[in-house]
Amino acid sequence: MTSRSLLLAIGLVATTSLVAAGPCDIYASGNTPCIAAHSTTRALYNAYTGALYQVKRGSDNTTTNIAPKSAGGVANAAAQDSFCASTTCLITIIYDQSGRENHLYQAPPGGFNGPDANGYDNFASAIGAPVTLNGQKAYGVFISPGTGYRNNKVSGSAVGDQPEGMYAVLDGTHYNGACCFDYGNAETNNLDTGNGHMEAIYYGDNTVWGSGSGNGPWIMADLENGLFSGVNVKNNAGDPSQSARFLNAIIKGEPGRWAIRGGNAASGSLSTYYNGARPNANGYNPMSKEGAIILGIGGDNSNGAQGTFYEGVMTSGYPSDATENSVQANIVAAKYATTSLTSGAALTVGKSVSLKVTTPGYDTRYLAHSGSTVNTQVVSSSSSTALKQQASWTVRTGLGNSGCLSFESVDTPGSYIRHNNFALLLNAGDGSKQFNEDATFCPQTSLNSAGTHSIRAWGYPTRFFRHYSNTGYIASNGGVHTFDAATSFNNDASFVVGAGFA
Ligand code: AHR
Ligand code: AHR
Ligand code: AHR
């Protein structure tokens, strides 16, 4: 190579890395390198080509890894779609891209037990949080109550009062008030070991400990036995309620000081909501960080919360605001955007539909209700008007998410199919966030070939309308309940959606 072409080549490399530097390249150049980098949507280093996450499918319980389409690029969602075609898929591992192998696995039982037989938390559905990045499809991690990930043996994370930083890109519209939708540093034994033993991003509208201004949700710090918005235990009016669909949430801490920052992950810059002294309650100065990493749960495995995670990192050292501002610019340039939550033939809002069972031996039955019980009943053109109405549902825009649908009873207007404790019920709408979310379902192409649609629960995307013993549930494929049985799952969870009887 001539010296001129060498210079050109170096120039090219320098320009490319400047243009394409990933979040962790930016943190490294700020001398606060990532010790963990987690994302199911994209590579967080410009040279990263390894696995982003592992999915496991329901049809044969085999797994595959999903990698970026190119170095530094967006996840290969098409590979997931083809691996998961006509079955269900779970996100079983979220890999660490830093090289330290700080992967996130199914969270083990702790002070609180998870829902599986051994007390572990549930895995997230692989399809609950579809998005696009620069127009290319990818999937985030949709955390329902009972879902969580953890690593208790992390290499390189902050312990004691050591400095660290972290960010997470979240769905700002997916939250609740339960404890605790977190991403960050937590106990290594799954137990609440005392004040100052955690330092994690919290997102939600829990007000048991602290809060910000308005009604929430807020970005706060989970420092154990408290969600903090500032120096006071209770309230920091400078920590605003959030509403951006894509939210960049930041927490960082060093001896005697910590900060909360945040901003719209799809446009604009970051704001600082708190930057100052450690909380003035006992045990938070100095900190006693332990160095595990959690996602979607509290330090003691409190797992009642919900939220959606797209990408996030943990750093060694306290990142400068300037470094974080550059990371924000990189995230904005990744162009997160929403995409359809449904698939299959579109169901028309305002039309009456029926849902015909497809399981062989049961396929004269339709989804119907008897009082508040949702079940399947044999219905035909010669059935009574009352029965025809019980088996007919008016399609409505999703009460809890306008990208999905709700099903209003034809004979009991104002009452909708909702799930409660995973059983389908017909209940009068009460306008609450919980009811609206429980009554929101996302139709997709049916799991079997006899049906037209499978109907996914928006808030529990591992779960679908299913009849079991002729009763309606939201069931997951091979989950913990009797009605989750893997046997006959695809057939029981596939329906022919046709014209209503009434
Ligand atoms: O700090 C809030 C929560 O309190 C923690 O996440 C959990 O460990 C404890 O229950
Ligand atoms: O059906 C699952 C959950 O059970 C619902 O979201 C909630 O209303 C109930 O606790
Ligand atoms: O709902 C009828 C049948 O009950 C389902 O097909 C089967 O899975 C269960 O035993």
Side-chain angles (χ1 to χ4, degrees), residues 54-66 78-93 123-127 447 477-478 486 489-490:
Q54 182 193 67
V55 294
K56 181 173 160 185
R57 68 183 172 199
S59 53
D60 59 4
N61 286 319
T62 59
T63 60
T64 196
N65 287 339
I66 305 299
Q80 175 184 311
D81 289 343
S82 107
F83 183 76
C84 302
S86 301
T87 187
T88 52
C89 261
L90 301 171
I91 296 172
T92 37
I93 301 173
F123 291 115
S125 162
I127 58 166
L447 290 165
N477 192 359
F489 183 84
N490 277 13

Side-chain angles (χ1 to χ4, degrees), residues 38 92-94 101-112 120-123 143 147-154 182-193 197-198 224 290-302:
H38 301 119
T92 37
I93 301 173
I94 304 164
E101 308 213 328
N102 292 326
H103 313 314
L104 293 175
Y105 303 99
Q106 183 176 27
F112 287 78
Y120 278 71
D121 289 343
N122 287 325
F123 291 115
I143 301 280
T147 303
Y149 296 83
R150 190 173 197 124
N151 185 323
N152 284 336
K153 295 195 170 124
V154 172
D182 289 353
Y183 174 72
N185 191 324
E187 289 94 341
T188 51
N189 65 355
N190 317 310
L191 299 175
D192 176 349
T193 52
H197 284 246
M198 295 178 63
E224 190 50 282
E290 296 191 21
I293 303 176
I294 52 172
L295 171 60
I297 50 176
D300 58 3
N301 195 42
S302 296

